Amino acid sequence: MTGCTRRLPLIAALLGLAFAVPVQAEEAYDPWPGLVQDIFNGRPMNDGSAVIGIEMPYRAEDAAIVPVTLRSKLSPADSRRIRSITLVIDRNPAPMAAKFELGTDANVSEISTRVRINNYTDVHAVAELSDGQLYVSKVYVKASGGCSAPAGKNVEEANSRLGKMRYRQFAREEAAASRVREAQIMIGHPNNSGLQMDQVTQLYIPAFFINQLKLTQDDSPVLSMEGGISISEDPNLRFTYVSNGAKRFRAEARDTEGHVFRNEWDVEKPGT
């Protein structure tokens, strides 16, 4: 065996070590402390396990449309209420996926939507309560490539559906007695992330997404959302709220190009 041959195992081992270190360093890096500083100005975070629940699949089937459900866990005897919920996908290019403001009298207790996940990541839900404190819960999701995944619809189809809204209601056994309603708002919009490539031109498609959504029963706020590039194509919100007896449900959405979309529905006949 020559000297060069004898040294091959040693060289291979050193190369393996050189490549392993950055991977281990990447896995060990935790962006959350920096995000607390950037998004929440370093405010203290309390354990939210008894305040806010976050449900997502551990391994997503499609990284571009990962379901997420945020649920209040406050006891009915608790006099506090959730003012807002901020959804943070730690390793996404723009980590703050959405901030939901909850109407004072709407008693929203559950919100579901779909998001893009770009890398294996922790996902945090931060609830701000009426006591001014922040409470955080998290889950870990295995998914990658969601922010750069090609759009599900071509440009012509996406443009033809731009801003079109649908409102649905779902039957709940306790609704008649408690006035609790479960509803869904769907908005036609490509919600381009800015990281997707046009398959024909091979150029990146500029970011173009719904960044504001306001839902009201008559003129009383139910739920509003400040959205980002992590919300999936054709934004979809499903949520519970308590009816105040209003006859009309209204939605207003704005996107990053200044388009404003409005619609309203008869609460008893939601339809399209």
Side-chain angles (χ1 to χ4, degrees):
M1 182 180 291
T2 67
C4 287
T5 304
R6 286 196 299 270
R7 287 196 294 273
L8 282 175
L10 177 59
I11 293 170
L14 290 173
L15 285 172
L17 180 61
F19 283 107
V21 170
V23 173
Q24 292 171 353
E26 171 65 20
E27 291 177 350
Y29 171 65
D30 182 6
W32 178 241
L35 295 174
V36 171
Q37 184 64 46
D38 294 343
I39 300 174
F40 304 99
N41 296 316
R43 293 171 60 187
M45 293 281 167
N46 301 292
D47 177 15
S49 57
V51 174
I52 183 72
I54 175 171
E55 299 174 9
M56 300 180 75
Y58 175 67
R59 187 181 295 277
E61 294 183 7
D62 186 338
I65 47 171
V66 183
V68 54
T69 296
L70 307 169
R71 182 176 290 111
S72 171
K73 299 176 74 174
L74 289 176
S75 163
D78 198 320
S79 61
R80 301 171 300 171
R81 71 173 188 87
I82 297 178
R83 287 178 177 167
S84 68
I85 304 171
T86 304
L87 180 64
V88 181
I89 304 174
D90 294 18
R91 292 181 181 269
N92 268 15
M96 196 183 92
K99 182 176 182 179
F100 302 96
E101 299 279 352
L102 282 52
T104 303
D105 301 316
N107 294 307
V108 174
S109 58
E110 186 174 309
I111 303 169
S112 297
T113 190
R114 304 174 307 185
V115 297
R116 298 174 169 123
I117 303 287
N118 213 50
N119 296 287
Y120 286 21
T121 185
D122 285 329
V123 181
H124 288 84
V126 179
E128 180 171 11
L129 267 57
S130 51
D131 62 5
Q133 299 295 306
L134 300 180
Y135 298 82
V136 61
S137 295
K138 74 172 181 178
V139 295
Y140 185 77
V141 179
K142 287 188 173 183
S144 61
C147 292
S148 57
K153 301 177 179 63
N154 61 38
V155 175
E156 291 77 13
E157 184 180 1
N159 287 339
S160 71
R161 302 178 66 255
L162 189 70
K164 291 185 177 180
M165 297 184 185
R166 293 185 61 199
Y167 170 63
R168 297 177 60 194
Q169 285 188 32
F170 303 88
R172 293 177 68 94
E173 293 182 2
E174 75 275 26
S178 66
R179 295 182 291 123
V180 173
R181 296 184 184 273
E182 183 173 0
Q184 183 180 37
I185 290 285
M186 295 157 281
I187 307 172
H189 203 285
N191 255 39
N192 296 326
S193 68
L195 301 173
Q196 298 154 301
M197 185 176 289
D198 186 303
Q199 300 304 299
V200 176
T201 66
Q202 297 297 297
L203 299 175
Y204 284 101
I205 302 168
F208 175 44
F209 55 89
I210 296 288
N211 57 357
Q212 294 180 36
L213 174 64
K214 295 181 181 179
L215 308 176
T216 61
Q217 44 182 335
D218 282 345
D219 295 319
S220 179
V222 172
L223 178 65
S224 65
M225 180 189 76
E226 176 188 345
I229 67 170
S230 296
I231 298 296
S232 300
E233 179 180 4
D234 295 331
N236 181 322
L237 282 185
R238 185 164 173 166
F239 53 95
T240 60
Y241 72 101
V242 173
S243 170
N244 64 0
K247 300 301 183 183
R248 307 292 290 175
F249 195 94
R250 299 188 173 101
E252 178 180 289
R254 297 174 183 267
D255 67 22
T256 51
E257 289 190 3
H259 301 115
V260 179
F261 313 107
R262 297 186 180 94
N263 209 334
E264 63 177 75
W265 302 267
D266 185 326
V267 171
E268 302 305 324
K269 301 175 183 179
T272 56

